[in-house]
Amino acid sequence: MNTNNELISLKENASKPIYSLTPFTLLDYPHKSACILWFAGCNMRCLYCYNPEIVLGKGSLTFEKILTFLHSRKNLLDAVVFSGGECVLHKNIIPLIAEVKKMGFLVKVDTNGSSPDVMQQLLNQNLIDYIALDYKAPKSKFQSITQSVLYDSFEKTLDLILKAAIPFEVRTTYHSDLLTEDDLKEMIFFLENKNYVGNYYIQYFKNNVETLSKLERSDNRIDCEKLSTQTIKIILRE
């Protein structure tokens, strides 16, 4: 195991920021085998969030334990997915990702886009190979749905990612009581004005699961073909 000064310092100062670990997935990094690190805590309180135990809970795993696990998976896994919660909130996230990259893993970051300064550092250091950016809502509904005032930060992060030469996806969780078809059209129009070209993933809200807010059952029906444009294809991710 690498014992350089940076890693030793990281270990000595480690708390337990990671809520849990999914040791294997073929679904979360396109066309790659990966594990998922679920970081505890988030700076948003999205009404439809179905990971309240992660957002409101405390971590149980140290960086050291995660690095030990990853060393045992070298040449067995292709990638590591940093998710949450909101993984980029954690103060040692940059050296941790750097260490994972040194091991030879691809890195995917799932983010709500609220930390553009951290994202800029990660991009400048070429530490990310794939990004999944959550587009929570149009500006008019962002605060009410996320219980935050972080829309401008999200937009800054989107601008940074659009300029970066790495693969990424934009995704939205749809609940029929929170977003309308007109809202989705507004969000698509916003992406087009940003010159985004490609797939836009819509995830249906998971009915009958515990969420941060008590919501009625979502009417999960979207006409993807109708919403798609010449430059943006709507992909339903159930």
Side-chain angles (χ1 to χ4, degrees):
M1 184 178 293
N2 190 331
T3 58
N4 61 49
N5 291 336
E6 180 181 69
L7 180 54
I8 291 172
S9 176
L10 185 154
K11 289 180 179 179
E12 288 175 345
N13 295 325
S15 57
K16 294 182 177 180
I18 299 163
Y19 182 85
S20 64
L21 163 70
T22 299
F24 182 77
T25 176
L26 291 173
L27 300 177
D28 287 79
Y29 195 120
H31 314 298
K32 302 293 181 181
S33 63
C35 67
I36 309 173
L37 308 182
W38 301 95
F39 282 75
C42 188
N43 52 0
M44 295 184 185
R45 295 291 183 267
C46 302
L47 302 180
Y48 56 75
C49 178
Y50 43 80
N51 288 325
E53 71 284 357
I54 298 176
V55 169
L56 303 177
K58 296 181 179 179
S60 62
L61 297 170
T62 64
F63 289 145
E64 182 175 10
K65 286 189 176 181
I66 291 301
L67 292 173
T68 298
F69 167 80
L70 292 176
H71 274 284
S72 74
R73 294 301 188 270
K74 288 176 69 173
N75 302 316
L76 297 175
L77 293 176
D78 300 315
V80 178
V81 178
F82 290 76
S83 194
E86 179 56 31
C87 63
V88 298
L89 292 179
H90 295 274
K91 61 181 180 180
N92 285 326
I93 193 66
I94 294 176
L96 176 61
I97 291 179
E99 192 62 31
V100 170
K101 286 289 289 181
K102 288 178 187 176
M103 293 185 200
F105 293 106
L106 297 169
V107 168
K108 174 177 178 265
V109 170
D110 296 340
T111 181
N112 60 24
S114 60
S115 302
D117 291 343
V118 177
M119 182 60 65
Q120 181 71 80
Q121 293 179 65
L122 290 168
L123 292 172
N124 287 347
Q125 296 178 44
N126 297 314
L127 293 178
I128 310 181
D129 301 287
Y130 193 95
I131 299 171
L133 177 65
D134 291 327
Y135 186 4
K136 304 291 187 177
K139 189 172 186 178
S140 60
K141 289 187 173 181
F142 195 91
Q143 183 171 349
S144 63
I145 289 177
T146 68
Q147 302 295 292
S148 76
V149 290
L150 294 166
Y151 182 86
D152 289 345
S153 295
F154 155 78
E155 186 171 358
K156 288 179 182 177
T157 297
L158 174 62
D159 290 339
L160 289 173
I161 297 172
L162 285 168
K163 294 176 183 177
I166 64 170
F168 75 99
E169 65 182 57
V170 179
R171 61 191 188 183
T172 294
T173 298
Y174 172 80
H175 189 293
S176 56
D177 286 349
L178 301 178
L179 294 173
T180 66
E181 187 172 298
D182 285 342
D183 290 328
L184 292 176
K185 289 179 179 178
E186 180 182 344
M187 294 162 77
I188 293 165
F189 182 71
F190 170 82
L191 291 174
E192 286 187 313
N193 281 344
K194 292 286 187 180
N195 296 317
Y196 175 71
V197 176
N199 295 334
Y200 176 23
Y201 294 92
I202 305 295
Q203 305 170 159
Y204 279 153
F205 171 79
K206 293 181 180 180
N207 287 309
N208 303 315
V209 298
E210 181 182 359
T211 58
L212 278 176
S213 177
K214 291 185 178 180
L215 296 172
E216 297 297 325
R217 186 178 180 85
S218 177
D219 180 13
N220 288 335
R221 290 182 294 179
I222 297 175
D223 189 339
C224 295
E225 185 174 345
K226 180 180 178 182
L227 289 173
S228 294
T229 70
Q230 290 184 340
T231 57
I232 296 178
K233 183 178 181 180
I234 306 303
I235 304 293
L236 185 61
R237 190 177 275 165
E238 302 209 29

